[in-house]
């Protein structure tokens, strides 16, 4: 039986990095040792593509190039890491996946949804996450949190309006796929966010 595929998503400053380790530990407490990985990246080739995508000197990358590079990295990630792990019955916990493409390249950049959906079908061949944890935070608050970090990358340089479109599409995805999405209010203090994550995961695991 194939393993479960869990993704964690969120806009700028939502706290994914701060919470993915918490999710991993929670799964381990339930006897599950997931493969933890991320996008764009997760393989040597994917990490090289990530460097190109995030480099703020590459301001000339066209929107379609950006979209295709995301899916090129994803195709390699699926071939080298995600599909083999799932086929061996392992669980995979991935920091961002295709919902991020709908949100950033679709919402943020304005690429038509059907173009992204065509690539999704081609590259994933029907594979979808079993559970997506969406950390949702108002854009102003996320930007204030993220602003305290180091030098901004190519995406972090975008304006608030870009991140508003990203958030809108993430929430649309959650409404479109209510069976796999759990929306977590990430605007609260860290302990409260993690308590909700623990509750959501415990409930979801008990339903399986
Ligand atoms: N991207 C894309 O466009 N299309 C795609 O298909 C994919 C990705 C897959 C890199 O992603 C970029 O790739 C991303 C979208 C694009 N660009 N952006 N923006 P990434 O996931 O690697 O990078 P990131 O978005 O910067 O994620 P991150 O490092 O996980 O950041 P974060 O969600 O903002 O989380 P954080 O660093 O844990 O938290 C931010 C700060 O807030 C930090 O100082 C924390 O200490 C603080 N924090 C966290 N939680 C709290 C609470 N609850 N209270 C107070 N302060 C908090």
């Amino acid at each position: 039986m194939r393993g479960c595929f869990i993704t964690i998503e969120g806009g700028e400053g939502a706290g994914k990095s701060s919470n993915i380790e918490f999710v991993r530990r929670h799964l381990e407490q339930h006897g599950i040792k997931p493969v933890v990985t991320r996008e764009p990246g997760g393989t040597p080739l994917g990490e090289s593509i990530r460097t190109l995508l995030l480099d703020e000197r590459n301001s000339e990358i066209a929107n379609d190039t950006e979209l295709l590079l995301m899916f090129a990295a994803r195709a390699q990630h699926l071939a080298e890491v995600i599909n083999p792990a799932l086929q061996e019955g392992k669980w995979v916990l991935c920091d961002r996946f295709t919902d991020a493409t709908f949100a950033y390249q679709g919402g943020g950049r304005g690429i038509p949804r059907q173009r992204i959906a065509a690539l999704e079908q081609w590259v994933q061949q029907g594979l979808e996450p079993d559970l997506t944890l969406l950390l949702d935070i108002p854009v102003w608050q996320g930007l204030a949190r993220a602003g305290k970090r180091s030098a901004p990358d190519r995406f972090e340089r975008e304006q608030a309006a870009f991140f508003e479109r990203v958030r809108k599409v993430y929430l649309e995805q959650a409404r479109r796929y209510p069976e796999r999405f759990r929306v977590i209010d990430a605007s609260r203090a860290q302990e409260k966010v993690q308590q909700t994550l623990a509750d959501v995961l415990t409930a979801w695991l008990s339903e399986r």
Side-chain angles (χ1 to χ4, degrees), residues 12-15 18-19 136-137 139-149 185-190 193:
E12 187 62 6
S18 311
N19 288 305
D136 179 55
I137 189 169
V139 169
W140 66 267
Q141 195 177 354
L143 290 177
R145 283 186 189 170
K148 295 182 188 141
R149 291 188 305 200
D185 177 1
S187 68
R188 297 163 302 155
Q190 182 77 309
V193 173

Side-chain angles (χ1 to χ4, degrees), residues 58-208:
N58 289 335
S59 54
E60 77 284 4
I61 294 183
N63 289 348
D64 281 347
T65 312
E66 182 177 287
L67 174 67
L68 291 166
L69 284 173
M70 289 293 174
F71 271 103
R74 183 161 299 137
Q76 189 64 28
H77 197 198
L78 284 161
E80 206 177 318
V81 177
I82 298 176
N83 283 333
L86 293 176
Q87 278 153 20
E88 281 173 35
K90 291 182 186 155
W91 288 42
V92 175
L93 174 59
C94 192
D95 186 343
R96 295 199 190 279
F97 195 62
T98 305
D99 294 305
T101 314
F102 282 105
Y104 282 82
Q105 282 63 54
R109 303 286 189 224
I111 295 178
R113 180 176 182 90
Q114 60 274 27
R115 205 177 293 178
I116 302 173
L119 287 167
E120 177 186 40
Q121 180 51 38
W122 178 16
V123 168
Q124 292 166 222
Q125 312 228 334
L127 177 73
E128 277 189 6
D130 299 292
L131 173 67
T132 297
L133 301 164
L134 173 59
L135 297 174
D136 179 55
I137 189 169
V139 169
W140 66 267
Q141 195 177 354
L143 290 177
R145 283 186 189 170
K148 295 182 188 141
R149 291 188 305 200
S150 54
D153 63 36
R154 201 170 61 83
F155 288 97
E156 290 163 353
R157 285 170 181 270
E158 292 296 337
Q159 302 297 309
F162 176 92
F163 294 109
E164 292 289 0
R165 297 195 296 276
V166 167
R167 183 181 187 212
K168 181 167 172 279
V169 174
Y170 264 136
L171 292 171
E172 281 170 13
Q173 287 289 97
R175 281 193 293 275
R176 190 182 282 255
Y177 303 107
E179 65 295 341
R180 77 171 161 93
F181 264 88
R182 300 292 181 277
V183 182
I184 300 183
D185 177 1
S187 68
R188 297 163 302 155
Q190 182 77 309
E191 314 78 71
K192 294 231 165 93
V193 173
Q194 294 190 341
Q195 185 56 56
T196 307
L197 277 170
D199 293 346
V200 162
L201 283 165
T202 303
W204 186 78
L205 288 165
S206 72
E207 284 161 16
R208 298 194 61 78

